Amino acid sequence: MSLNQKAKTLKDIKFSVLDLAPVIVGGTPRDSFKNTVDLAQHAEKWGYERYWLAEHHNMPGIASSATSVVIGHVAAHTNSIRVGSGGIMLPNHAPLVIAEQFGTLESLFPGRIDLGLGRAPGTDQMTAYALRRDRRSNGQDFPEQLAELREYLQPTEELRVRAVPGEGLDIPIWLLGSSGFSAQLAGTLGLPFAFASHFSPDNTLPALKVYRDHFKPSKVLDEPYAMVGVNVIAADTADEAHRLSTSMQQQFLNLVRNQPTQLQPPVDSMDDLWTPFEKQTLNQQLGSSVIGDKQMVQEQLQAFLDETGADEMMVNAQIYDHKARLRSFEIVSEVVR
């Protein structure tokens, strides 16, 4: 955190939920969506600000590939919590389609929809080609796609192609990133920025600095607004929290091995599952994760806030047992409220 930023406490900032709609071993996407709605309803009751779902493809353990559809399902089963995308991978889509989809969502649930946008494919190269149909599309034209999307939503001139619904609606747009590219773009455009600290911790502080250094006031924001993602595995005892966290570790281990699977049940020890090199790699990738009992979670979240100066934190929890997952989010809500 820079010297000119006022120190914040956990009660000074907003907390939100990132849900990857995990499909567990022995479960189905239908089960995942039931759990998603249940978690969203609890998150609303516990005072979380927003509930975001992420676009991933060709991953057996993540059910939120049709992100806009799931957002509508969650919004229909909640009353006040903001619901949105964390994010929509814009290069996978025609900007007009996203303008229409989120125009539809905002029309159905006015004042509750967020549009978080990323430029990564959210998948492997072969699947990206299946989605985009163009091998040349690599996300480098993301700024132009973003400008086209924003023009559909808030036209500056009369358009021959119009987004109906969508045109004229005030849908908050966030830029998401795990490097400095989207950070600089968000700052230059004066948009809120969300950084993927939950899987790219080493780039967190550099990206936030880029965002704040390049920020220009806009019609959207007078000053920078930065949200950081954070893995939080909380339980009533530290030992139980660490055991629960092994499901997340197994998920990332399988991704590192290019063998994505459904979310695995926790194990007592990871030592028989990973090599020393893999352990080091995952510890680095998951280095910002907060794991422990209530007091440990409070201390670690405050330390992360002191380090980042974030305006909001978005909590992710890849936990195998749904009741344990609910309890983890409940503990966070107790800590921050």
Side-chain angles (χ1 to χ4, degrees):
M1 185 174 64
S2 64
L3 294 177
N4 61 349
Q5 286 182 279
K6 181 182 177 181
K8 301 173 183 176
T9 69
L10 298 178
K11 293 183 179 180
D12 293 327
I13 70 169
K14 296 176 180 177
F15 278 78
S16 296
V17 175
L18 175 64
D19 181 11
L20 300 183
V23 183
I24 67 171
V25 171
T28 67
R30 180 177 176 83
D31 298 328
S32 299
F33 297 141
K34 288 181 179 179
N35 290 340
T36 283
V37 166
D38 189 43
L39 176 57
Q41 291 172 339
H42 279 86
E44 183 173 75
K45 179 179 67 175
W46 291 328
Y48 284 92
E49 176 72 12
R50 62 189 92 242
Y51 194 99
W52 280 8
L53 295 127
E55 178 186 351
H56 291 279
H57 301 278
N58 198 29
M59 293 190 181
I62 298 177
S64 53
S65 54
T67 315
S68 301
V69 178
V70 187
I71 289 171
H73 183 61
V74 171
H77 287 84
T78 51
N79 298 305
S80 58
I81 194 170
R82 299 193 64 88
V83 189
S85 57
I88 290 290
M89 302 298 110
L90 188 56
N92 293 341
H93 311 276
L96 176 61
V97 171
I98 298 305
E100 292 172 340
Q101 288 180 358
F102 278 77
T104 300
L105 289 167
E106 176 64 22
S107 298
L108 289 169
F109 311 102
R112 294 184 56 206
I113 300 300
D114 295 326
L115 175 51
L117 298 169
R119 71 184 185 99
T123 189
D124 57 88
Q125 289 185 344
M126 184 175 294
T127 307
Y129 173 61
L131 287 162
R132 301 177 182 181
R133 315 304 298 175
D134 185 353
R135 295 185 186 274
R136 297 168 298 176
S137 180
N138 59 7
Q140 294 304 308
D141 59 347
F142 179 75
E144 290 75 21
Q145 284 191 301
L146 174 62
E148 182 181 346
L149 172 59
R150 298 182 77 192
E151 184 70 12
Y152 285 131
L153 295 175
Q154 298 290 335
T156 57
E157 59 184 52
E158 187 172 343
L159 301 178
R160 295 184 64 183
V161 177
R162 302 169 62 188
V164 182
E167 184 177 300
L169 296 180
D170 183 18
I171 304 171
I173 290 178
W174 294 66
L175 295 194
L176 282 55
S178 58
S179 66
F181 183 97
S182 292
Q184 182 172 339
L185 183 60
T188 302
L189 297 176
L191 294 175
F193 176 59
F195 187 80
S197 307
H198 56 297
F199 65 79
S200 186
D202 290 347
N203 290 329
T204 301
L205 297 184
L208 292 179
K209 186 177 188 305
V210 167
Y211 172 59
R212 290 163 178 152
D213 287 350
H214 286 83
F215 184 84
K216 296 178 181 178
S218 67
K219 293 180 180 179
V220 178
L221 289 175
D222 295 326
E223 56 187 25
Y225 191 95
M227 176 162 62
V228 290
V230 56
N231 298 308
V232 181
I233 309 295
D236 292 315
T237 68
D239 287 344
E240 177 62 11
H242 282 283
R243 183 176 182 277
L244 293 174
S245 71
T246 60
S247 294
M248 173 182 68
Q249 292 169 337
Q250 291 177 79
Q251 183 181 50
F252 274 84
L253 177 61
N254 289 325
L255 288 175
V256 167
R257 293 173 173 174
N258 198 27
Q259 298 172 342
T261 63
Q262 295 177 328
L263 190 65
Q264 304 289 315
V267 294
D268 292 331
S269 172
M270 289 289 293
D271 291 340
D272 293 333
L273 300 180
W274 56 19
T275 66
F277 176 76
E278 289 172 334
K279 179 180 179 179
Q280 182 180 1
T281 300
L282 263 70
N283 284 341
Q284 183 175 0
Q285 192 170 23
L286 300 174
S288 65
S289 298
V290 172
I291 302 170
D293 59 24
K294 184 182 294 187
Q295 182 176 349
M296 295 169 66
V297 166
Q298 183 173 16
E299 292 171 352
Q300 292 176 57
L301 284 177
Q302 183 61 55
F304 192 48
L305 177 58
D306 292 341
E307 186 178 31
T308 62
D311 302 289
E312 186 168 342
M313 289 189 189
M314 178 157 276
V315 178
N316 176 50
Q318 293 294 85
I319 296 175
Y320 180 84
D321 180 75
H322 180 61
K323 289 184 178 179
R325 192 168 184 237
L326 288 178
R327 180 58 184 147
S328 182
F329 279 101
E330 184 180 26
I331 289 173
V332 173
S333 72
E334 293 170 352
V335 163
V336 304
R337 303 301 167 200

